[in-house]
Amino acid sequence: MLNTDVEKNMAPVMKKKKGQLTYKRQQKILGVLFSLPALVLMFTFLILPVILAFTYSFMNYNMLNPDGKTFIGLDNYVRLFQDQIFFTALKNTLYFTVLVVPLQCGVALVLAILVNKKVKVASLGRVFFFSPVVTSMVVVAILWTFLFNVESGLINSVLNVFGIPNQPFLLSPDQAMNSIIFMSIWQAAGFQMMIFLAGLKDVPETLYEAADIDGANAWQKFRNVTLPSIQHVTGFVLIITTIQAFRLFIQPYVMTNGGPSNSTKTLVFMLYENGFQFRDVGYSSAIAVVFFLVVIITSLILKKILKQ
């Protein structure tokens, strides 16, 4: 009799628990189904290419002879580290990254502070500074190629007004990469500006009011209030800008074709050249794997530095 009463009392509880488990299971299934398209796309366009690149890097694989793939071990990597052009491309990529990241982020922060002012022209300034970002990089590169023209370029015409002779810009191994750096900062700073602007909007006004009461000047408020308040945004901007800088390709491809004298050839340009012009998929896959490792290691180092 006692057991029967206990079973009757426990029956609603057991039924409720069973219903909860069924509901949770349904939610998990729905979550997997909703995530499935994104997971399929991520595997197809991100994970699978990485796996194939790593696999092909150990093969002698020419795109014109896809059935003639042969396993050659580490030969592609040995060839890569004996290739002087690889080290030139690596040096150019690092040089571009080291200069572009701090300069572009610095310009973007200054622009964000300017357009964050409560003035009527602030909205117009945002549109003006952000417009190069939404313009195709190919179009921008072609436009700046004309601006850098030695004989009839607008920049040399302006320099002539101040008595400065025509500069070779893209035709000079010493000036070509610096010219691309200048153009890249002009084109992309608006993107980082908008991210910084979002961070500046979240800084409480009470902090600035307290700084005013303490008699802080503009520089002191920037150093002690603004920078600490947007440190997480700054870290995010530095990391994504670094990754974007490592991917430099369109500018040298359109403006200089990697020249003059390989002075603007980057790792991505070298990867494209060997993979799609020389059809050497195995060698270009080895370049891709090394490039991937360089970007990952650099990002981890930068992340650790920012944490400290």
Side-chain angles (χ1 to χ4, degrees):
M1 184 70 178
L2 182 61
N3 291 338
T4 305
D5 293 339
V6 171
E7 289 176 359
K8 287 182 180 180
N9 293 331
M10 290 294 293
V13 177
M14 294 173 65
K15 186 176 181 181
K16 184 177 180 181
K17 287 185 176 180
K18 186 177 180 181
Q20 287 178 344
L21 291 174
T22 304
Y23 176 76
K24 289 181 178 179
R25 189 178 295 111
Q26 290 175 348
Q27 292 300 306
K28 289 180 179 179
I29 294 172
L30 284 174
V32 172
L33 290 176
F34 280 120
S35 304
L36 190 60
L39 293 174
V40 171
L41 290 173
M42 185 176 71
F43 178 80
T44 304
F45 295 104
L46 183 63
I47 299 175
L48 183 60
V50 172
I51 296 173
L52 291 176
F54 183 77
T55 304
Y56 291 152
S57 67
F58 298 103
M59 295 182 178
N60 180 16
Y61 177 16
N62 190 289
M63 192 181 293
L64 298 179
N65 185 22
D67 296 327
K69 296 190 291 289
T70 56
F71 180 79
I72 58 173
L74 297 173
D75 287 2
N76 283 324
Y77 292 98
V78 173
R79 174 186 166 192
L80 180 63
F81 288 104
Q82 292 177 346
D83 190 348
Q84 188 59 42
I85 297 178
F86 165 73
F87 291 102
T88 300
L90 178 61
K91 182 191 71 174
N92 293 336
T93 303
L94 293 175
Y95 178 78
F96 179 85
T97 303
V98 168
L99 286 184
V100 160
V101 172
L103 292 175
Q104 187 168 301
C105 292
V107 170
L109 180 57
V110 171
L111 294 178
I113 293 173
L114 290 176
V115 300
N116 192 41
K117 302 293 183 181
K118 296 179 180 180
V119 293
K120 293 182 179 180
V121 294
S123 299
L124 183 62
R126 295 171 196 171
V127 175
F128 177 77
F129 294 129
F130 189 72
S131 56
V133 179
V134 297
T135 306
S136 170
M137 177 58 81
V138 175
V139 175
V140 173
I142 294 174
L143 171 64
W144 277 86
T145 302
F146 287 111
L147 292 176
F148 283 131
N149 187 273
V150 178
E151 300 298 334
S152 57
L154 178 61
I155 296 178
N156 271 323
S157 299
V158 173
L159 293 177
N160 293 159
V161 175
F162 296 96
I164 302 174
N166 287 353
Q167 299 297 310
F169 292 124
L170 300 177
L171 301 180
S172 168
D174 297 326
Q175 296 185 13
M177 182 58 81
N178 293 329
S179 301
I180 290 176
I181 289 172
F182 182 83
M183 184 273 287
S184 300
I185 293 173
W186 174 88
Q187 189 272 339
F191 175 71
Q192 284 83 6
M193 177 199 72
M194 297 302 290
I195 300 176
F196 276 126
L197 184 61
L200 291 173
K201 293 293 184 184
D202 289 336
V203 180
E205 286 293 332
T206 53
L207 296 179
Y208 292 109
E209 293 172 0
D212 288 330
I213 294 174
D214 291 337
N217 56 34
W219 168 249
Q220 290 172 331
K221 286 190 287 186
F222 173 75
R223 186 182 63 182
N224 299 314
V225 178
T226 304
L227 283 181
S229 300
I230 62 170
Q231 59 180 342
H232 296 295
V233 175
T234 303
F236 172 74
V237 170
L238 285 173
I239 290 175
I240 63 170
T241 307
T242 301
I243 295 173
Q244 289 175 345
F246 270 108
R247 294 165 51 197
L248 176 66
F249 170 70
I250 296 178
Q251 297 95 309
Y253 179 76
V254 174
M255 301 173 73
T256 62
N257 196 31
S261 302
N262 294 325
S263 61
T264 59
K265 183 171 289 187
T266 61
L267 288 177
V268 178
F269 189 99
M270 186 180 177
L271 190 157
Y272 165 82
E273 187 178 50
N274 283 275
F276 293 95
Q277 292 184 359
F278 305 150
R279 308 293 194 272
D280 194 344
V281 178
Y283 189 53
S284 64
S285 296
I287 299 171
V289 171
V290 173
F291 172 73
F292 175 77
L293 293 176
V294 169
V295 174
I296 292 296
I297 293 171
T298 305
S299 300
L300 291 176
I301 292 173
L302 182 60
K303 187 176 180 181
K304 187 175 181 179
I305 293 173
L306 291 174
K307 279 186 177 181
Q308 293 176 350

